[in-house]
Amino acid sequence: MAQVGSIQSWSLGVMLHLVLAAILHQGFATVAPPTAAPHKDPSAPEQGKYNLTTSNGTTCLLAYMGLQLNITFNSVSQNKTVQDIVNIQPNVTKSTGSCESDVASLHLTTDAGKTNLTFVFTLNTTTSKYHLSEVSLSAAWPDMKDPLSANNRSLDYLRGTLGYSYKCRKEQTLTVAQNFSINTFQVQVQPFGVSGTTFATAEQCQLDEDDMLIPIVVGAALAGLVIIVLLAYLIGRKRSHAGYQTI
Ligand SMILES: *[C@@H]1O[C@H](CO)[C@@H](O)[C@H](O)[C@H]1NC(C)=O
Ligand SMILES: *[C@@H]1O[C@H](CO)[C@@H](O)[C@H](O)[C@H]1NC(C)=O
Ligand SMILES: *[C@@H]1O[C@H](CO)[C@@H](O)[C@H](O)[C@H]1NC(C)=O
Ligand SMILES: *[C@@H]1O[C@H](CO)[C@@H](O)[C@H](O)[C@H]1NC(C)=O
Ligand SMILES: *[C@@H]1O[C@H](CO)[C@@H](O)[C@H](O)[C@H]1NC(C)=O
Ligand SMILES: *[C@@H]1O[C@H](CO)[C@@H](O)[C@H](O)[C@H]1NC(C)=O
Ligand SMILES: *[C@@H]1O[C@H](CO)[C@@H](O)[C@H](O)[C@H]1NC(C)=O
Ligand SMILES: *[C@@H]1O[C@H](CO)[C@@H](O)[C@H](O)[C@H]1NC(C)=O
Ligand SMILES: *[C@@H]1O[C@H](CO)[C@@H](O)[C@H](O)[C@H]1NC(C)=O
């Protein structure tokens, strides 16, 4: 009697183990970063810490972000259209700009003035929401047949709420024009309502929230399964005891 019971609990224990192992394995496989990243060349850009200060010394815009430009242009040396991926190097990039009550523009100059990039943020004072509404680029690289200038005034990226900062750890692609897009990495911006020199509470982007959802769902599924297996085990034990008694 006792032997049958112990064999049953042993096999249930093994099953529980296997199920747990399978789930944990799958969970980790899902959470692990994708190994086949779409582009590795060049490596992810360094996060630059760009900020704007008004004439009386108060910080009015904070922007921490890693920026990678994806530019299509006519190459002189290769005599054809090429795609160049260039990281913005924070230590050789200067930030200037202006802050108004409902418009803030951040102008980045890098590469000894051969690349100029401007971000314009707009605040809707009715809804208290802000977003990146405009990006312009002018680039005059030595290998370019003609200097490139691109501008788009109808963008709607990096949406945040007044009083909060916008944060996104994951890579995002901001398409500006047919031959120009920006890949952003590790972004935290606050173009309005900055008090002091630090970011307000961050609003996480959807991409990051989706990322956090996976472990939560896996955890919940795991907990549910443990409870089900435990219940099955307890009920099975009770039944088998009852069964032996009737024999
Ligand atoms: C100076 O800073 C205060 C806030 O500390 C602000 O209200 C005011 O508009 C600023 N003045 C200028 C000229 O930027
Ligand atoms: C650059 O942009 C082109 C399309 O314009 C796209 O096919 C390519 O994947 C992009 N590369 C990177 C590294 O973002
Ligand atoms: C960029 O794309 C636009 C069309 O979207 C085109 O008119 C322009 O010539 C392109 N510039 C370069 C340098 O390729
Ligand atoms: C560039 O390529 C075009 C055809 O794509 C060709 O006609 C021209 O001769 C080439 N120029 C040079 C300098 O190689
Ligand atoms: C900027 O940083 C890069 C590495 O991130 C380094 O290779 C380069 O020498 C630095 N340039 C200057 C001017 O400090
Ligand atoms: C602010 O948002 C509201 C609602 O989305 C919209 O109707 C209004 O046109 C926006 N105002 C501005 C100045 O963009
Ligand atoms: C970038 O801006 C600087 C300063 O405003 C200017 O001297 C330079 O010519 C600009 N570069 C390009 C490529 O437009
Ligand atoms: C500007 O961006 C919007 C939204 O990404 C896009 O639909 C539009 O085609 C862009 N305009 C130009 C001139 O590339
Ligand atoms: C703003 O940027 C400058 C230059 O990088 C830096 O010295 C300063 O500490 C920054 N201020 C804040 C509030 O981050």
Side-chain angles (χ1 to χ4, degrees):
M1 231 161 60
Q3 210 175 11
V4 175
S6 74
I7 285 172
Q8 195 184 36
S9 70
W10 176 81
S11 61
L12 259 168
V14 167
M15 208 173 80
L16 184 75
H17 226 83
L18 287 175
V19 168
L20 279 181
I23 287 186
L24 279 173
H25 185 78
Q26 194 155 24
F28 284 131
T30 325
V31 172
T35 43
H39 29 73
K40 292 232 158 199
D41 190 31
S43 51
E46 213 177 299
Q47 189 192 46
K49 299 187 172 180
Y50 311 112
N51 57 34
L52 293 180
T53 306
T54 61
S55 50
N56 68 6
T58 51
T59 301
C60 62
L61 177 147
L62 291 166
Y64 290 12
M65 48 193 179
L67 299 171
Q68 187 175 72
L69 310 182
N70 181 350
I71 300 181
T72 307
F73 64 93
N74 291 319
S75 159
V76 173
S77 62
Q78 296 178 55
N79 191 24
K80 63 170 184 181
T81 301
V82 296
Q83 225 166 57
D84 216 348
I85 311 295
V86 173
N87 288 345
I88 301 279
Q89 292 202 340
N91 60 354
V92 291
T93 302
K94 286 205 161 53
S95 62
T96 55
S98 62
C99 297
E100 286 157 47
S101 60
D102 57 356
V103 182
S105 53
L106 174 68
H107 181 75
L108 300 180
T109 298
T110 190
D111 197 13
K114 291 195 279 291
T115 307
N116 290 336
L117 187 60
T118 302
F119 295 90
V120 178
F121 294 89
T122 306
L123 174 70
N124 185 324
T125 47
T126 316
T127 58
S128 291
K129 301 275 186 190
Y130 61 81
H131 67 279
L132 176 65
S133 57
E134 177 179 349
V135 169
S136 11
L137 169 84
S138 65
W141 299 349
D143 196 32
M144 282 178 172
K145 206 170 243 169
D146 304 298
L148 184 142
S149 74
N151 174 266
N152 192 328
R153 293 172 189 270
S154 50
L155 301 177
D156 190 10
Y157 296 123
L158 316 184
R159 290 193 292 268
T161 307
L162 184 63
Y164 297 88
S165 61
Y166 169 92
K167 188 172 189 179
C168 202
R169 283 185 305 113
K170 283 205 121 184
E171 178 184 351
Q172 289 187 90
T173 298
L174 316 181
T175 302
V176 177
Q178 219 160 34
N179 36 27
F180 171 47
S181 62
I182 305 174
N183 298 321
T184 64
F185 298 72
Q186 303 280 352
V187 172
Q188 187 166 14
V189 296
Q190 192 177 345
F192 301 101
V194 176
S195 69
T197 55
T198 50
F199 286 109
T201 311
E203 282 180 332
Q204 211 80 11
C205 65
Q206 194 63 47
L207 284 167
D208 285 357
E209 283 186 351
D210 292 348
D211 235 27
M212 279 188 278
L213 207 64
I214 295 166
I216 291 170
V217 168
V218 168
L222 202 85
L225 220 111
V226 166
I227 288 168
I228 288 167
V229 170
L230 255 164
L231 278 177
Y233 170 69
L234 290 175
I235 290 167
R237 231 169 74 141
K238 225 176 179 177
R239 282 232 179 106
S240 67
H241 275 287
Y244 292 133
Q245 272 164 11
T246 54
I247 287 169

